[in-house]
Amino acid sequence: MTERTLAILKPDCLDKRVQGKVIQHILDAGFEIKAMKLTKLTEDSAKKFYEVHKERPFYGELVSYMTSGPVIPLCLEKANAVADFRKTIGATNPANAEEGTIRKMYADSIERNIVHGSDSPENAKNEIAHFFNDSDIV
Ligand code: CMP
């Protein structure tokens, strides 16, 4: 069954100018891009997006990093999109990511890990709605 997930190409992805390569990797993995934009998160928006992590020691740094430069959120669609996208990007910590995954190829650290992917279909719905209205999705 077709499913949607949210990806965010993070500030380090754009800093390294590899957003084109990462988007091609996502397309080659079979995902349809249903919505995409270039934007910059405000502090309030980043805090809200990562609210589930607010008690974690890295929350402050995560918010300041995610607001440090432009990002590219994408709504992606495919069968089993949530789990398959997490496989495509690899482990949160690139040191543990499998060969051929986006994080293994491009990420430097757990903080600067190039890309975000929703971790459940329910979170995916909320995360897509954080960035896109229904009318933005083609
Ligand atoms: P992401 O998939 O965007 O979801 C939450 C983010 O928090 C995660 O990617 C990492 O970038 C970051 N993160 C998770 N664990 C840690 C950690 N132990 N230290 C620093 N950042 C972390």
Side-chain angles (χ1 to χ4, degrees), residues 8 13 22 29 34 60 68 72 89 93 117 119:
I8 307 175
C13 183
V22 172
K34 303 296 287 182
S68 67
I72 300 178
I89 63 180
N93 186 344
D119 65 2

Side-chain angles (χ1 to χ4, degrees), residues 10 49-50 53 56 58 61-62 65-66 86 89 92 103 109-113 115-117:
K10 298 187 179 187
F49 185 83
Y50 280 119
H53 295 303
R56 303 282 199 93
F58 57 81
E61 280 190 21
L62 177 61
Y65 160 58
M66 289 299 289
R86 289 177 74 80
I89 63 180
T92 305
R103 284 172 171 157
S109 68
I110 194 165
E111 270 194 310
R112 291 170 194 275
N113 64 356
V115 61
H116 167 83

